[in-house]
Amino acid sequence: MTSWTRGAAAVAILTFDVDAETPILAEGRRYAEHPMVMSHQSYGPDVGVPRILDLLDELAVPATFFVPGWVAERRPGLAAAIVDRGHEVAHHSYSHRAPTSLPPGAERADFVRALEVFAAQGIEIAGHRAAMWSASRETLALVAEYGLTYDSSLMGDDRPYLVPGAHAPVVELPVHWSLDDWEQYAYLPEPRIGSVIESPDKVERMWRAELDGMRHYRCLFNVCMHPFLTGRPGRMLAMRTLIRYAQDCGDVTFARCRDVAAWASADTATPVRPLPTYDVDPAVYPG
């Protein structure tokens, strides 16, 4: 048996959620008439992504870019440009609306619409990440039904695990808020997507400490970044420092999500964790 870590102390997946304008539009289409707000978001694919791709080339590390279908449709060369540089493009909904907020049937329609965009552009999709990580009880069933192999929205471990269902099992590549740049850098006065701007040095130190812990426990270092946030110059330098540190450790492997999912699927020791169900007494927990 070959472990999913392939002999490394930790496996690092650099993931970039190329949300662009979609999180703002999900708050209300009226924001399309707010040039400051929309330019704040378009900075991500227009400036941040090219800068990130250049850094990844410089350091020779692969990454996975989760792209909403709306963003790929509006910028038809974006996904292909990412794949042409050796990286992975993955499914990140069509509209970036949280599945848990959608009425019955709407999540499926949104999910399929994104797949159709990528199919039309010739982009092969292997994995998925729910908008806002807010997967519903239907989400992973859709992932399996449409032949994708992995999801990256849940928090049930800090190593890959398998989620069984009516279709094929889905490899879960877990995430956590402590490794998301949104909690560190997101700020807009309206809509209020965040209200903090931390120092890049602090963020780099925090993530380096988390990487050291994951090297100790042999975990998956799944860091989630957004090009409109991490793509800013000082933050890019901090990311460069973090990647260099991981490379200098000598025991960290960088990989795309689809590759880690394949490794975990082939590892017979990968744990199986069904989605839990809860019989909740409404008298105790109303609403």
Side-chain angles (χ1 to χ4, degrees), residues 216-235:
H216 178 81
Y217 288 103
R218 296 191 176 273
C219 298
L220 179 67
F221 183 73
N222 184 355
V223 59
C224 174
M225 294 167 281
H226 299 76
F228 79 94
L229 297 174
T230 287
R232 307 295 304 185
R235 300 166 185 178

Side-chain angles (χ1 to χ4, degrees), residues 9-12 179 204-221 242 244-252:
V11 176
L179 289 172
E204 189 273 327
R205 291 195 308 272
M206 181 176 69
W207 287 356
R208 179 163 21 106
E210 193 68 12
L211 175 61
D212 286 342
M214 290 184 163
R215 290 169 56 220
H216 178 81
Y217 288 103
R218 296 191 176 273
C219 298
L220 179 67
F221 183 73
L242 178 68
R244 279 295 196 199
Y245 173 77
Q247 291 175 323
D248 290 344
C249 288
D251 57 4
V252 177

Side-chain angles (χ1 to χ4, degrees), residues 123-148:
I123 304 297
E124 181 184 355
I125 299 296
H128 168 269
R129 172 173 285 166
M132 308 302 295
W133 296 344
S134 295
S136 74
R137 298 199 69 84
E138 183 185 11
T139 301
L140 269 67
L142 288 169
V143 170
E145 178 182 347
Y146 284 92
L148 280 60

